[in-house]
Structures are given as C-alpha cells and as structure tokens.
Amino acid sequence: MTKTVDTGSAAEYLPRALNLGALREAAAGCRACPLWRTATQTVFGEGLERADLMLVGEQPGDREDREGRPFVGPAGRLLDEALEAAEIDRTRAYVTNVVKHFKWQARGKRRIHAKPAWAEIAACRPWLDAELAVVKPRVVVCLGATAAQALLGPSFRVTKSRGAFVPSGLAPYVTATVHPSSILRAPDEAARRAETRALVRDLQKAARVLRKED
C-alpha cells in the first residue's frame, strides 16, 4: 500500500520488526513531514543495538545530510573530542537526532541550518521513540535546547539544568547539555575552550554513572 506524504507523523512508516536495521531501512522512505523534499536523504541514528549511552541532538547538518551519518561534521568532531576527554568511547554509544532530515536555508551557495518547527519534531518523534525502545540506554544525554525540550518538555532550560539528571521515563538517567555547534559559534577561542571544558564536565557526569552501573 502506498503511504501518504506529509501526514504529520512517522508512525505509519514504522516497520513491524523493531530492530535498528529495519528501522533504518523504513526511515529512508519517510515522508511524514515536508523536510524530505529538500534533504538529500534520511540521516538515521548510528551505533550499537544495545548501547548504554544514547546521545540525542537536534537534526543533521549539511555534512551529515550529504554523508547520511549523524555527527560527522564540525560539531561531530568537537563532540568526539569532548567524549574522548570525558573517557567515553563513542563506538560504544548510540548517536541520533530528534529530526532525521536536514532543514536548511540557502545563503548564496551555502546551505545554512534552520531550526525545525515543533510540527516537524512531532512528526519525526516515532523514530526516536522506536530507537529508545530498541536500544534501551541506561543514560540519555540531550545535546542542545531543541533535543532537551523535545524530550523533557518545552519548559526545560539547558541554561538552568545542564549536567543535572532529571526524572524521566526515557531511561534511568537523563540529562542535557549544550549542542557542540553552539560552541563553534562562540565569539573567540577563549570562549570556545571554556565552553568545551564545560561540555566535557557534563559528559563526565554521564561517564561516572556508566562506570558505576557496570
């Protein structure tokens, strides 16, 4: 049966078999919101089927849209450095976004990130819920305000609660910190270094929980 497009929910695209391979294949054809029309491809999550740690960002960027993998651009490289400093092995984690298509605006020849609307976030939510159900992480780290508010409610403020574990049915331990892309936008190198150190401290809290739970 042909699925309708721009229905406002990815629920009808979910496969019967809930495993990462089936989810990734089904998500490749998702047309639940208009973002698929201008994106190169769906960028699904990546990592272990049973990962203790899940990192959730906002949406893929330009590089991710072209390569089809999450967090492989400049923000991804900064995240890798922060994870290494926090003694977290990214290959043991699952990395994804609340929105699976790149939303952008043209600025000359460049494609500039545009913040996804709540309707687009809601349309994509069934994919993230399915990833959580399959991976069953012990720790979820929301990267940035969009991811945090999508998962923890619109009143959540990363500036007030970053690094703190908050009660949630998503996982035994859920926390939020800044998105690495916000550090790249810092006004100078000193600010970038300070913000990176703060990100590492937040990730170290997750690392301590993971070690304690082992």
Side-chain angles (χ1 to χ4, degrees):
M1 182 177 67
T2 302
K3 295 181 176 67
T4 55
V5 299
D6 301 351
T7 59
S9 176
E12 69 173 290
Y13 290 87
L14 293 176
R16 291 183 180 179
L18 282 189
N19 60 69
L20 292 182
L23 286 169
R24 187 173 291 106
E25 183 177 352
C30 186
R31 305 290 185 266
C33 81
L35 294 184
W36 67 273
R37 299 177 184 275
T38 53
T40 303
Q41 59 191 314
T42 302
V43 181
F44 204 69
E46 182 176 84
L48 298 177
E49 181 119 358
R50 287 287 189 270
D52 289 333
L53 173 65
M54 180 181 283
L55 301 159
V56 184
E58 178 189 278
Q59 65 165 348
D62 179 78
R63 179 78 173 271
E64 288 79 7
D65 175 69
R66 298 179 191 278
E67 294 192 21
R69 298 178 58 208
F71 284 94
V72 293
R77 290 193 293 274
L78 194 154
L79 177 61
D80 287 345
E81 293 171 4
L83 288 170
E84 183 177 1
E87 298 184 352
I88 294 174
D89 183 354
R90 173 169 166 167
T91 65
R92 305 294 298 174
Y94 187 84
V95 184
T96 192
N97 289 292
V98 294
V99 171
K100 311 302 191 199
H101 285 114
F102 178 38
K103 183 176 183 178
W104 57 277
Q105 296 174 337
R107 187 175 299 171
K109 294 182 178 180
R110 299 176 62 198
R111 301 190 303 169
I112 304 300
H113 160 277
K115 184 176 180 178
W118 280 109
E120 294 156 351
I121 293 170
C124 211
R125 181 60 186 265
W127 295 120
L128 183 56
D129 287 340
E131 288 173 297
L132 285 162
V134 171
V135 177
K136 294 181 174 61
R138 284 187 289 149
V139 181
V140 171
V141 177
C142 303
L143 300 171
T146 298
Q149 291 175 0
L151 291 177
L152 301 174
S155 64
F156 187 90
R157 294 293 180 268
V158 173
T159 51
K160 292 183 178 181
S161 302
R162 65 176 294 175
F165 291 104
V166 298
S168 172
L170 299 171
Y173 298 91
V174 179
T175 187
T177 186
V178 298
H179 195 287
S181 64
S182 69
I183 299 175
L184 297 176
R185 296 192 296 270
D188 53 49
E189 185 59 32
R192 281 192 288 274
R193 286 197 298 268
E195 280 298 312
T196 300
R197 287 194 296 269
L199 172 60
V200 171
R201 287 195 296 270
D202 292 339
L203 293 173
Q204 285 172 332
K205 295 176 183 178
R208 285 194 289 271
V209 168
L210 291 169
R211 287 195 293 270
K212 182 176 68 175
E213 294 290 309
D214 283 341

